[in-house]
Amino acid sequence: MPNSIPFVKPLETFDFGYQPSIDKKQVLLLASYHFIEHGDNVIVRAPDHTT
């Protein structure tokens, strides 16, 4: 049986107030895939203090 996520949670329902360190404007811009049209690269990384 393949792994699967038990439910779908649309980005529009994400509570940005619960995690204020997440830049809502930046997330929504990435979700628009605008960077693909411009041929830009996207690098997502964790903070340096995590393992």
Side-chain angles (χ1 to χ4, degrees), residues 5-51:
I5 297 175
F7 58 89
V8 175
K9 183 171 177 98
L11 186 57
E12 294 80 20
T13 65
F14 184 80
D15 183 6
F16 286 95
Y18 182 75
Q19 187 63 40
S21 64
I22 295 177
D23 183 342
K24 180 178 181 178
K25 183 177 176 183
Q26 186 67 46
V27 170
L28 295 177
L29 181 62
L30 288 171
S32 75
Y33 297 110
H34 189 70
F35 62 94
I36 293 174
E37 296 172 6
H38 290 259
D40 296 332
N41 296 318
V42 174
I43 298 173
V44 179
R45 59 176 271 246
D48 294 335
H49 64 276
T50 62
T51 56

